[in-house]
Amino acid sequence: MSDNTCMVETAAGAGAVSQIEPERRQRRLEPYQQRLEWIESLFTQMADAVFVAGLDGQIIDVNPAACALLGYEKQELLRMRVWDFVSSAARDEILGLFSTMNPGAPVAVQRTYRCKNGEQKIVEVRQTRDDHGGRDLIVISSRDITEAARTRALLAGERRLLEMVAKGGPLGDILTALCRLSEELCSRSITSILLLEPGTRQLWHGAAPSLPREYIEAINGGVIGPSAGSCGTAAYRGEPVIVCDIASDPLWKDYRNLALPFGLRACWSMPIFSTDRKVLGTFAIYFREPGSPTRPLREMIERLADLASIGIERTRAQEDLRRNEAYLAEAQRASLTGSFGWNVSSGKLFWTDETFRILGYDRTIEPSLEAIFNRIHPDDIALVKQILNRGTNGEESFDIEHRLLMPDGSVKHVHAVGHATIGGPHGREFVGAVTEVTEHHRARAALERALSDLKKSEEARAELARAARMTTMGELAASIAHEVNQPLTAVVTNANAALRWLDRATPDLHEARQAVQRIVRDGIRGSEVIGRIRALMKREPPQRTLLNVNELVQEIARLAPVAPAEAALQLELAGALPVVPADRVQLQQVLLNLVTNALDALNTVCDRPRVVRIETKSVGNDAVLVTVRDTGVGLPPEKMEQLFNPFFTTKPDGLGMGLSISRSIVEGHGGRLWAEPNDAHGATFRFTLPTEKGGVT
Amino acid sequence: MNRAVHRVEKQADPTVFVVDDDVSVRNALNSLIRSVGLRVEMFASAKDFLGRKMPDGPACLVLDVRLPGLSGLELQRELAAANSQLPIIFITAHGDIPMTVRAMKAGAIEFLSKPFRDQDLLDAIHQAIERHADTLALRAVAADLHRRYETLTAREREVMRLVIRGLPNKQIAEALGTSEVTVKIQRSQVMHKMRAESLPALVRMSEKLETTEPFDVPVPNAQDARRHRSAL
């Protein structure tokens, strides 16, 4: 006897026994009564929903769990048919099933029930036909597996999505799939994912396959804030925002007129966080009726928001990686630098494109040490081998410059650096870069040459400056004139001004006095100027060293301002010239003076070769003789001696100091300076300088 | 002296600009120039001078050759390049003949060596100021003429063009395709607007218009001192 039929039978049986005397009746009924109560209790308290229905689908009895499952009152359910909470389309299927079911053979199916409030639940249904004792009923036991089904679907959906992310699909597709998953898991929901543009406060459309296009466009680019609908506020606060009724919630004050026309009444929004807790966007669900989420639903939304976070971060990371790889490749190409990886234990090598190019290999060949050594210049192979051995034996880094000999015979200079990576799982590995420095090499060599040339010419220039400063009296004279003339001019002008002030119809004594005071001041300043010039003109004490006159002549020849086209400078220098004690700077002065004079004399010559000839000769062991001869305009013999007088000059802007100073320098060294006219053209100047041994010549 | 130029407007007081890097010389010149009743402004370098906006009225420049930064001769070149009419008097402590020649060829009024006779300098200054005043007056006249010309209509200009060729009204009317009466009216408009008292006067005005630029009367403008100076 089945438990369910007992309920009906016992009631009928109880009526038949009522004729027996009451006490004995009671005693016989007791076990049945207890069992009835116990069974009724079971029926009421069991978790599974139980429906008893006729073969025509009419519901005859339900337990409290059934009411709870569907949200109907018992009285309502007793008026309904089984398919009323499944679907009208299921009517025929259900009736067919009932009429063909075998008693005692339960049929289990999975159905979707529609609750009174419209919510849908997934249930596992066990249907049994009972035809005992004149009955023919269907007993339906339903278990709510919505939760479990949803979780299964969620897991399956997650797996699909993570596969998409791993494959590196476009972010738009991933987010759209996520929305669809969400809508599958939560009926009647409309999902929208918005992305927060980094660096701005604007939310942009990510995915929303079920939202009306006009609404998407209307809210696109909205600014986040404390009262910016559900998503804008969620992004602003960094917290979920649940709005049960858009029509009345203050957060939607400025936006409800956008949403309500599209029938959107509730919006639950969850911020999507990055791993470092920055807001990436929002994950929101809309409904067309007001309402708030159950806890399971809220947890599901959080999980989906996490998935979105993974999808967004991963996709962006992949994009960044792709971009960085592209930049790196470009940078390597531009800088002629290739990277490489070298696993010392396995010998495996990794090269970037640029490394292939530098080594001159096609991308298709397998990188190997042998391939590298095939390219190394034979003279450098030993060195490179040495360095690499050090690497295998525990050196932490290497830095080496060597040459490559390419198949076409050209030579490249490369600079390779590498260092060991810290404890890799694959054994000892080196990571490094190789740069082609052929051009650098050439440039550096050229630069070094230029630098040494520059240094030499700097020294030469310094010498010339020193010599020139002492010799150019013209410059000095101009400077003196300027210095002295200024205060003189001021004095004269002030004096004249004073006179004019005094000569006025009404003399201006104040102005005149001021002018005279300035005269006094300027006069004093003038005398100070003279004093300064005197100090400048003071000769430094001569510094005597042992000089090789030939060297001196050669220096002056290099420094003298003569362009090859203007004149030829010929040198005839005696070998084994004795050294002379002399002041280098002063002698430079003398030589430069003579050479400059010779060049000046050649200035106007055009009908014969312009030559300046310098000779050196030793006069016994006692002295050195220097001759400077030119083919210039020459001088009349009577003027020869006058030449050396101070202020004698044949030049219109000359001061006439050069030769007189030169003579006094030479005589200060114990020598003589004199001049002779040439037979043909020009003049010859000679001077002697005694050696240490010799005295005055 | 009979001046062909009539001053259109009264000119402002003349100014003498002095550029010399020596402070004693500057102060002495200041006193000297003021003692003859002229306004004077001092500058220690060419750059300082170029930074100053030009006042109205005739002026001249007393300039040392040796200056820090831009030299006196370079300043002369720059002013010439900017179309300045400002007369220049050079004073210098050390002048050589080539330098003097260069400066004079480039249009200097005078080149004096320090120390100079004060009368020489003052004479040069007066000469320079007079010359500049004449230039300004000429420019003012030209500007005035151009302004008047601007007030003519296109047709009136056409009429004027033919009038100064000496054509009678009838021929002008034929050439322009209008009536003689119209031409007569337009001709009298031209004479009135140009304020020409006679046909020869109109012809002279026309010549002047062709050979001069429509300068604006100089307006002090700190931003564009150079352009302004070109109007001097």
Side-chain angles (χ1 to χ4, degrees):
Chain A
M1 179 164 78
S2 80
D3 290 333
N4 288 330
T5 52
C6 170
M7 199 169 56
V8 179
E9 229 179 25
T10 313
V17 174
S18 63
Q19 275 86 28
I20 311 170
E21 71 253 303
E23 214 184 276
R24 227 170 14 130
R25 205 188 312 140
Q26 193 64 22
R27 264 198 313 251
R28 277 173 74 181
L29 277 179
E30 236 180 81
Y32 292 111
Q33 196 104 3
Q34 283 174 352
R35 191 161 169 84
L36 179 62
E37 280 166 16
W38 179 66
I39 287 168
E40 275 208 33
S41 169
L42 268 182
F43 188 58
T44 310
Q45 289 175 20
M46 61 195 304
D48 288 352
V50 178
F51 306 82
V52 180
L55 284 174
D56 60 355
Q58 178 70 47
I59 294 178
I60 297 169
D61 203 352
V62 293
N63 70 349
C67 298
L69 177 70
L70 292 173
Y72 286 106
E73 301 284 329
K74 180 164 177 174
Q75 292 310 311
E76 291 175 289
L77 280 173
L78 293 179
R79 286 198 292 272
M80 288 164 76
R81 309 215 175 210
V82 170
W83 52 80
D84 286 339
F85 47 82
V86 179
S87 73
S88 43
R91 175 178 173 278
D92 291 335
E93 181 251 315
I94 289 173
L95 281 175
L97 174 65
F98 284 1
S99 55
T100 56
M101 264 173 77
N102 281 326
V107 173
V109 299
Q110 191 173 301
R111 292 202 196 282
T112 305
Y113 283 172
R114 223 180 24 239
C115 307
K116 182 175 183 183
N117 67 358
E119 195 184 331
Q120 284 185 334
K121 292 192 175 160
I122 304 173
V123 291
E124 205 165 82
V125 172
R126 205 176 131 100
Q127 290 152 137
T128 321
R129 186 167 174 185
D130 175 27
D131 62 352
H132 282 98
R135 298 184 295 276
D136 201 352
L137 301 164
I138 308 289
V139 178
I140 306 166
S141 159
S142 307
R143 177 170 299 166
D144 183 354
I145 58 163
T146 314
E147 219 25 66
R150 196 177 273 152
T151 307
R152 258 205 314 275
L154 178 60
L155 284 173
E158 272 184 354
R159 208 180 36 246
R160 272 199 309 276
L161 269 160
L162 288 173
E163 264 180 45
M164 275 178 86
V165 170
K167 286 212 189 85
L171 186 58
D173 290 352
I174 293 173
L175 295 179
T176 304
L178 192 51
C179 287
R180 291 207 202 279
L181 174 64
S182 163
E183 285 162 11
E184 180 193 315
L185 294 173
C186 177
S187 56
R188 298 164 306 124
S189 67
I190 302 170
T191 309
S192 154
I193 299 180
L194 298 175
L195 297 172
L196 182 65
E197 182 68 24
T200 71
R201 296 161 65 79
Q202 286 178 299
L203 284 171
W204 299 93
H205 173 68
S210 309
L211 268 183
R213 152 145 248 101
E214 296 89 349
Y215 179 71
I216 294 175
E217 281 170 8
I219 62 166
N220 203 16
V223 177
I224 69 174
S227 171
S230 299
C231 298
T233 314
Y236 178 79
R237 290 187 197 159
E239 288 168 5
V241 170
I242 309 290
V243 169
C244 308
D245 191 351
I246 289 175
S248 57
D249 194 300
L251 293 179
W252 279 84
K253 178 163 65 81
D254 298 329
Y255 298 87
R256 63 171 67 104
N257 294 328
L258 287 176
L260 293 176
F262 293 102
L264 304 169
R265 285 302 294 276
C267 180
W268 312 335
S269 182
M270 200 82 45
I272 303 172
F273 290 109
S274 66
T275 35
D276 52 355
R277 292 301 289 183
K278 291 212 188 46
V279 173
L280 294 172
T282 58
F283 184 97
I285 299 190
Y286 288 88
F287 291 93
R288 293 191 190 276
E289 288 108 17
S292 53
T294 58
R295 200 166 61 77
L297 202 50
R298 215 182 138 126
E299 284 169 7
M300 181 199 86
I301 298 175
E302 280 176 12
R303 259 176 102 140
L304 291 172
D306 274 344
L307 265 182
S309 162
I310 294 172
I312 295 171
E313 279 202 301
R314 188 74 199 275
T315 313
R316 284 199 181 151
Q318 280 166 353
E319 275 173 18
D320 283 348
L321 182 63
R322 269 196 289 271
R323 204 176 327 124
N324 287 343
E325 278 175 355
Y327 286 160
L328 180 62
E330 277 306 307
Q332 294 213 335
R333 229 194 317 276
S335 65
L336 304 180
T337 301
S339 312
F340 62 84
W342 175 37
N343 184 308
V344 180
S345 355
S346 69
K348 188 138 173 57
L349 280 168
F350 162 78
W351 293 345
T352 58
D353 283 354
E354 192 58 23
T355 309
F356 277 96
R357 194 203 64 77
I358 289 176
L359 291 172
Y361 282 115
D362 197 63
R363 275 232 67 181
T364 52
I365 76 130
E366 184 72 27
S368 68
L369 279 180
E370 192 187 317
I372 295 181
F373 273 99
N374 275 341
R375 287 285 186 262
I376 297 184
H377 196 284
D379 296 346
D380 293 342
I381 287 188
L383 175 64
V384 177
K385 272 215 176 101
Q386 196 184 31
I387 303 283
L388 289 182
N389 278 339
R390 293 224 295 265
T392 37
N393 290 338
E395 280 283 310
E396 287 301 307
S397 67
F398 61 83
D399 184 329
I400 174 173
E401 276 197 39
H402 62 89
R403 289 161 296 173
L404 301 177
L405 181 60
M406 308 306 287
D408 64 357
S410 63
V411 171
K412 289 186 186 178
H413 290 259
V414 294
H415 180 200
V417 297
H419 65 265
T421 55
I422 303 175
H426 311 290
R428 197 172 168 73
E429 278 194 6
F430 271 86
V431 167
V434 56
T435 311
E436 192 181 334
V437 293
T438 319
E439 279 313 304
H440 293 188
H441 222 261
R442 270 200 274 271
R444 193 168 47 209
L447 187 64
E448 275 166 9
R449 271 196 306 271
L451 270 173
S452 96
D453 280 351
L454 188 66
K455 235 187 261 157
K456 273 189 251 164
S457 78
E458 285 283 357
E459 285 162 357
R461 214 197 328 275
E463 288 259 5
L464 179 61
R466 235 197 352 245
R469 197 178 57 234
M470 299 292 218
T471 324
T472 329
M473 302 297 281
E475 272 284 323
L476 192 56
S479 183
I480 292 174
H482 188 83
E483 291 284 304
V484 166
N485 263 331
Q486 298 286 57
L488 269 181
T489 304
V491 163
V492 168
T493 308
N494 277 319
N496 281 317
L499 286 175
R500 287 177 186 271
W501 287 117
L502 291 173
D503 281 345
R504 282 188 161 198
T506 320
D508 192 328
L509 293 178
H510 175 68
E511 287 278 3
R513 178 175 294 116
Q514 283 196 321
V516 171
Q517 278 167 345
R518 283 196 298 269
I519 290 172
V520 172
R521 228 180 31 226
D522 293 338
I524 295 175
R525 186 163 79 94
S527 68
E528 280 171 0
V529 167
I530 304 283
R532 274 209 309 275
I533 292 175
R534 265 225 205 90
L536 239 161
M537 295 278 287
K538 232 192 311 211
R539 294 258 204 87
E540 288 165 21
Q543 285 160 325
R544 299 281 171 99
T545 54
L546 288 177
L547 280 185
N548 183 325
V549 178
N550 280 344
E551 265 176 35
L552 208 64
V553 171
Q554 279 163 336
E555 260 176 44
I556 295 296
R558 252 203 334 268
L559 297 176
V562 50
E566 288 171 5
L569 195 58
Q570 293 171 355
L571 302 182
E572 201 182 291
L573 308 176
L577 203 60
V579 290
V580 298
D583 182 305
R584 183 186 205 85
V585 173
Q586 288 185 336
L587 275 206
Q588 277 174 341
Q589 229 178 295
V590 171
L591 263 173
L592 203 54
N593 181 221
L594 294 179
V595 168
T596 315
N597 284 348
L599 290 171
D600 286 342
L602 290 171
N603 237 346
T604 47
V605 168
C606 28
D607 57 346
R608 55 183 182 274
R610 298 199 283 240
V611 178
V612 175
R613 203 178 152 78
I614 310 180
E615 289 171 17
T616 60
K617 210 157 64 166
S618 60
V619 180
N621 277 333
D622 298 338
V624 165
L625 174 67
V626 179
T627 310
V628 178
R629 193 200 310 266
D630 65 70
T631 57
V633 290
L635 288 148
E638 57 273 19
K639 289 252 172 68
M640 279 291 139
E641 216 13 69
Q642 279 185 34
L643 285 177
F644 298 95
N645 289 345
F647 303 113
F648 177 91
T649 181
T650 57
K651 294 184 248 191
D653 57 351
L655 275 159
M657 299 301 285
L659 279 175
S660 109
I661 292 180
S662 293
R663 180 177 261 182
S664 76
I665 289 175
V666 168
E667 283 172 2
H669 281 75
R672 265 205 320 129
L673 172 63
W674 70 99
E676 300 156 0
N678 291 343
D679 297 328
H681 298 281
T684 300
F685 285 76
R686 295 187 209 269
F687 66 92
T688 56
L689 291 170
T691 60
E692 276 184 311
K693 285 205 248 17
V696 177
T697 315
Chain B
M1 193 164 4
N2 191 12
R3 292 197 174 277
V5 170
H6 57 282
R7 284 172 211 238
V8 180
E9 56 205 49
K10 179 177 178 326
Q11 287 176 340
D13 289 337
T15 313
V16 178
F17 298 106
V18 172
V19 183
D20 193 317
D21 65 331
D22 188 288
V23 60
S24 306
V25 170
R26 274 208 307 275
N27 288 339
L29 283 172
N30 189 336
S31 185
L32 181 69
I33 296 171
R34 278 185 305 109
S35 77
V36 296
L38 287 169
R39 223 167 55 182
V40 60
E41 286 188 26
M42 328 290 305
F43 302 93
S45 72
K47 184 160 159 231
D48 289 347
F49 169 67
L50 285 170
R52 162 82 169 89
K53 61 181 187 192
M54 290 293 115
D56 297 334
C60 75
L61 177 59
V62 174
L63 180 58
D64 193 340
V65 171
R66 259 182 60 158
L67 294 170
L70 209 63
S71 79
L73 290 173
E74 282 169 344
L75 177 58
Q76 182 186 35
R77 250 201 310 272
E78 281 223 29
L79 289 173
N83 233 346
S84 164
Q85 303 289 323
L86 189 65
I88 298 179
I89 299 161
F90 279 102
I91 54 171
T92 188
H94 73 117
D96 55 45
I97 295 171
M99 189 191 287
T100 315
V101 168
R102 246 182 295 155
M104 296 305 286
K105 270 191 177 168
I109 299 273
E110 184 60 90
F111 196 105
L112 299 169
S113 293
K114 294 175 181 169
F116 40 76
R117 290 181 51 232
D118 62 327
Q119 193 58 48
D120 289 345
L121 179 64
L122 292 172
D123 286 344
I125 288 175
H126 279 123
Q127 186 189 348
I129 288 178
E130 266 209 5
R131 180 188 291 200
H132 196 229
D134 285 350
T135 309
L136 287 181
L138 275 169
R139 286 206 182 192
V141 166
D144 195 51
L145 275 179
H146 280 278
R147 265 197 297 272
R148 293 184 205 164
Y149 188 69
E150 289 293 306
T151 64
L152 296 177
T153 67
R155 247 312 143 91
E156 285 165 357
R157 290 185 201 175
E158 282 177 15
V159 168
M160 176 169 156
R161 199 170 39 86
L162 297 172
V163 160
I164 59 176
R165 282 218 224 134
L167 298 176
N169 291 349
K170 186 150 173 262
Q171 282 189 19
I172 296 176
E174 268 177 36
L176 295 180
T178 62
S179 71
E180 215 178 308
V181 172
T182 314
V183 167
K184 253 205 178 106
I185 297 172
Q186 283 171 340
R187 185 192 180 116
S188 105
Q189 280 291 87
V190 167
M191 296 299 281
H192 173 73
K193 285 187 182 178
M194 292 303 292
R195 290 191 235 141
E197 287 152 5
S198 64
L199 181 54
L202 188 67
V203 173
R204 271 201 300 280
M205 285 182 185
S206 165
E207 277 169 20
K208 212 164 267 157
L209 282 169
E210 298 232 351
T211 58
T212 57
E213 298 274 324
F215 303 109
D216 288 332
V217 176
V219 170
N221 178 357
Q223 296 246 332
D224 207 305
R226 196 166 283 192
R227 176 173 66 82
H228 176 247
R229 241 184 297 289
S230 76
L232 286 174

